[in-house]
Amino acid sequence: MLSIIVPCYNEEESVPLFLAEVEKIRQEISHKIEYIFVNDGSRDNTLAVLRQAHKQYPESVRYLSFSRNFGKEAALYAGLQAATGDLVTVMDADLQDPPELLPEMIRLIEKEDYDCIGTRRTDRSGEPKIRSFFAKTFYKLINKIADTEMVDGARDFRLMTRQMVDAILELTEYNRFSKGIFSWVGFKTKYLAYENRERVAGETSWSFWSLFKYSIDGIVNFSEAPLNIASFVGALSCVGSIIAMIFIIIRALVFGDPTTGWPSMVCIMLFVGGLQLLCLGIIGKYIGKIFLETKKRPVYIVKETEKDR
Ligand code: UDP
Ligand code: MG
């Protein structure tokens, strides 16, 4: 059995198109298919559309509906927990992940002994230049400072074996950064490249700001580098101030002590004060994550599934 997990946030128009596209290639896949749509607190009629889809395909369409919007990461996790297939794939509802690739992915995983077939886009057409620039910078940065490798352009669209899914489910952390988690669990992965596609309907739920916050989350979840940099800069400024102190004492002893240097003093005080706040901020970011983690709140809350119908 193949489980297809589809996180949906305001996708009332995309879901029927998505189902139609996948049903088209169904003959090419010898596996039984199980869809798991996760309605992530959509504000539109996605839930009604999903109920309808379950009516249409009672055997294969399952759905979970959250009590509010918990984010795509939570939706993925819920889907992985619910999936029962031996092969599991994760796909966006907007058809940016081409279903035509599925037969080839299944072939690779079954014949060539891979545990996971991922996908990456070769280009970022249809995306603002500035966003591509920041995305590239982010991948360069995170690959330098984190031990976990993150492939530039890799999408969440991937096919995994049951063994790998079980490994992912063992990571029960609250702050979930899937790109990192997929890579952290290891296993033999091959990436298929394809050209970027525009979404079929609806609009993206990511603003520049939300992507920025998401990238900070990625860094904090998978790297301690910011903490190390903060300590390093702190140590550097400490050494610098000791040298300056020695210089000033000797100068005062040799040349006397005319009271000048007030502006430079204020500058130094502001600089050091700012540095301290910055470092506190970095530490605070990690403490915030620990705080959320220790509360052990559930990652998502389900309000309705197809079994309730
Ligand atoms: N999504 C979700 N919860 C959210 C935001 C997005 O489940 O809070 C889903 C969305 O319905 C889509 C997928 O995640 O199936 C990718 O979202 P989107 O297409 O907006 O992102 P993009 O492709 O622009 O990166
Ligand atoms: Mg999309």
Side-chain angles (χ1 to χ4, degrees):
M1 171 125 85
L2 166 70
S3 302
I4 303 181
I5 298 167
V6 192
C8 304
Y9 179 58
N10 298 342
E11 304 278 12
E12 57 179 0
E13 291 164 62
S14 316
V15 167
L17 298 172
F18 174 85
L19 260 175
E21 280 299 311
V22 180
E23 285 299 312
K24 267 191 215 161
I25 55 149
R26 203 177 177 144
Q27 301 81 26
E28 295 173 47
I29 300 173
S30 52
H31 294 70
K32 240 181 105 186
I33 291 186
E34 160 191 73
Y35 299 94
I36 301 171
F37 289 96
V38 184
N39 173 33
D40 185 12
S42 301
R43 285 168 212 277
D44 64 359
N45 280 321
T46 304
L47 179 57
V49 172
L50 293 181
R51 287 177 186 149
Q52 183 55 40
H54 174 60
K55 254 201 201 135
Q56 195 183 348
Y57 304 101
E59 293 293 304
S60 53
V61 171
R62 299 173 53 197
Y63 68 86
L64 308 171
S65 183
F66 287 176
S67 59
R68 65 168 170 87
N69 178 254
F70 281 88
K72 186 183 174 186
E73 299 292 344
L76 282 184
Y77 185 55
L80 290 175
Q81 282 191 323
T84 56
D86 319 299
L87 290 178
V88 177
T89 179
V90 174
M91 295 175 88
D92 286 1
D94 56 13
L95 284 173
Q96 280 188 304
D97 301 329
E100 316 80 275
L101 287 180
L102 274 176
E104 169 70 359
M105 290 161 86
I106 294 174
R107 196 192 64 78
L108 280 170
I109 229 171
E110 287 184 338
K111 302 269 142 49
E112 306 215 349
D113 194 37
Y114 286 103
D115 304 295
C116 173
I117 308 294
T119 57
R120 45 182 283 270
R121 359 180 226 178
T122 44
D123 62 335
R124 292 178 169 271
S125 61
E127 194 185 66
K129 283 254 155 22
I130 178 94
R131 188 183 278 196
S132 309
F133 169 76
F134 275 101
K136 285 224 171 78
T137 318
F138 167 73
Y139 281 107
K140 263 192 210 140
L141 180 73
I142 193 140
N143 280 319
K144 276 224 175 77
I145 63 178
D147 298 331
T148 311
E149 196 207 347
M150 315 227 182
V151 178
D152 186 5
R155 304 214 21 117
D156 287 340
F157 177 29
R158 54 180 62 230
L159 182 71
M160 294 169 281
T161 58
R162 170 58 32 196
Q163 192 188 21
M164 176 157 172
V165 172
D166 287 342
I168 290 170
L169 289 176
E170 287 205 10
L171 302 182
T172 53
E173 60 212 65
Y174 181 80
N175 296 286
R176 305 189 73 79
F177 187 72
S178 291
K179 285 183 194 335
I181 290 177
F182 287 143
S183 156
W184 188 90
V185 293
F187 293 101
K188 201 170 153 203
T189 304
K190 181 188 171 84
Y191 283 94
L192 296 182
Y194 69 95
E195 260 172 46
N196 193 25
R197 311 217 166 162
E198 308 260 334
R199 57 162 43 239
V200 277
E203 52 194 64
T204 172
S205 30
W206 294 92
S207 65
F208 184 78
W209 182 237
S210 60
L211 276 176
F212 180 73
K213 283 205 296 207
Y214 185 61
S215 60
I216 300 274
D217 278 346
I219 293 175
V220 172
N221 282 331
F222 278 90
S223 168
E224 287 174 14
L227 289 174
N228 296 338
I229 294 172
S231 342
F232 178 73
V233 172
L236 210 68
S237 112
C238 183
V239 171
S241 66
I242 290 174
I243 295 173
M245 214 154 68
I246 296 171
F247 171 73
I248 286 167
I249 290 171
I250 294 178
R251 192 181 62 177
L253 288 178
V254 177
F255 297 107
D257 186 18
T259 323
T260 54
W262 190 80
S264 52
M265 178 106 115
V266 171
C267 288
I268 292 169
M269 270 168 59
L270 286 180
F271 175 70
V272 174
L275 212 63
Q276 283 173 340
L277 285 183
L278 177 71
C279 295
L280 274 181
I282 293 174
I283 297 170
K285 200 80 207 148
Y286 283 85
I287 295 181
K289 293 278 175 207
I290 301 172
F291 182 52
L292 286 175
E293 215 61 67
T294 51
K295 285 201 254 193
K296 295 237 179 291
R297 288 190 177 163
V299 177
Y300 60 87
I301 291 169
V302 174
K303 187 174 163 206
E304 177 186 324
T305 72
E306 82 283 348
K307 297 199 183 79
D308 301 328
R309 291 259 103 196

